[in-house]
Amino acid sequence: MTQKALDHLIERLGGLAPATALVLGSGLGNLVDRIDDPLRISYADLPGFPQSGVTGHAGELVAGLFAGMPVLMLSGRAHYYEHGNAAAMRPALEVLAGIGITRLILTNAAGSVDPEMPPGSVMLITDHINFSGTNPLIGEPSDRRFVGLTGAYDAGMRAAIEQAAKATGTTLHKGVYMWFSGPCFETPAEIRMARIMGANAVGMSTVPEVILARFLGLRVAACSVVTNLAAGMTGAELSHQETKDMAPVGGARLATILQRLFRDRSLEG
Ligand code: HPA
């Protein structure tokens, strides 16, 4: 299955050889509009890629030049809550590794646990807490499954992203992302717990991809776009519509940072 997608992608990419791939979260898909001369491939043509049913997730791979650098963006991802398979992104990430991607930048929409990090903020993920009770490497038979996650969020990539934020005058928060399985939002009690446990943001994605990417030897960075204060912090009920409506606000900030990151070639080091 992966081999077919790999062969198809290599053929379609022609000479383009991106080293960096991005995964775009809910409401962040319009980053692909910043790619020059985009080559668009539907996940339907890539066996093993997620046929996502979440609204706000397009389900296509877009490749081309971003600020003059070759890039590959995955617009649309599989979430654990869609089917109960934490490893649903494994084939897609294997294909990326197969075409020579060495760096992965993951993005997501998240709830903020910190009143000082309001909706519209961007948070560079420094570490995570896997609160889902599952792991995408369950069932992996080889000893390679014992992946170390001490340095999962690559120090060099983080420094480059911080530098790009600074250069563009964009506020970049830093913090710990806590993975809840979803699909329902958390309760106010769970958010109080998350805060005590050291989380700064909560969300329903990214962590399984970080684990799989480290398993595959990719360098990883991840950023959250805050769409809401988490459950119980405002008294208002949360909704997916709010996530979709608010993601583009922080998404525009994140796009500014990423464009500078690519323009400055600062990931190369
Ligand atoms: N919780 C979990 N996932 C989310 C949230 C949230 O408050 N906002 C956006 N994604």
Side-chain angles (χ1 to χ4, degrees):
M1 196 152 81
T2 305
Q3 190 59 45
K4 256 186 156 168
L6 184 60
D7 293 344
H8 182 68
L9 186 55
I10 289 171
E11 192 192 318
R12 294 286 302 275
L13 284 175
L16 193 75
T20 306
L22 277 86
V23 176
L24 307 180
S26 291
L28 304 174
N30 53 15
L31 195 65
V32 300
D33 297 338
R34 300 194 183 210
I35 296 184
D36 300 318
D37 260 336
L39 167 74
R40 311 180 92 105
I41 307 173
S42 165
Y43 287 176
D45 296 329
L46 296 167
F49 276 59
Q51 311 299 315
S52 176
V54 185
T55 57
H57 292 261
E60 64 173 357
L61 181 156
V62 186
L65 294 182
F66 179 44
M69 276 247 292
V71 72
L72 193 153
M73 296 191 192
L74 297 190
S75 183
R77 56 151 57 96
H79 299 82
Y80 173 62
Y81 61 71
E82 290 173 66
H83 28 57
N85 175 13
M89 288 294 283
R90 181 165 172 170
L93 295 176
E94 282 174 345
V95 168
L96 297 194
I99 64 153
I101 294 290
T102 58
R103 292 181 292 259
L104 187 66
I105 301 176
L106 298 155
T107 66
N108 62 47
S112 170
V113 170
D114 176 1
E116 305 295 314
M117 186 167 69
S121 302
V122 180
M123 185 186 94
L124 177 66
I125 300 179
T126 55
D127 203 350
H128 74 231
I129 299 172
N130 178 356
F131 195 68
S132 69
T134 190
N135 190 294
L137 295 176
I138 290 175
E140 163 59 37
S142 75
D143 273 359
R144 289 172 53 230
R145 64 188 158 191
F146 300 111
V147 176
L149 294 176
T150 308
Y153 296 85
D154 189 84
M157 290 177 73
R158 275 162 49 191
I161 292 169
E162 286 189 66
Q163 196 188 350
K166 210 169 162 192
T168 56
T170 311
T171 304
L172 181 65
H173 297 256
K174 286 187 272 182
V176 173
Y177 176 89
M178 189 164 186
W179 178 32
F180 283 82
S181 77
C184 59
F185 288 103
E186 300 74 29
T187 63
E190 286 166 347
I191 294 305
R192 289 194 295 276
M193 174 202 70
R195 193 177 295 120
I196 291 166
M197 286 180 147
N200 301 94
V202 294
M204 309 179 193
S205 68
T206 304
V207 167
E209 293 147 38
V210 170
I211 294 169
L212 288 165
R214 292 305 300 144
F215 172 71
L216 296 169
L218 305 180
R219 292 170 63 192
V220 175
C223 290
S224 291
V225 161
V226 174
T227 55
N228 57 282
L229 291 176
M233 292 174 68
T234 65
E237 191 51 279
L238 305 183
S239 72
H240 184 54
Q241 190 59 45
E242 181 182 36
T243 302
K244 286 191 290 184
D245 291 345
M246 287 303 297
V249 179
R253 287 204 173 104
L254 179 56
T256 301
I257 296 171
L258 293 174
Q259 190 140 6
R260 183 68 182 231
L261 179 73
F262 278 74
R263 198 200 88 175
D264 288 352
R265 313 280 189 271
S266 46
L267 284 176
E268 306 299 293

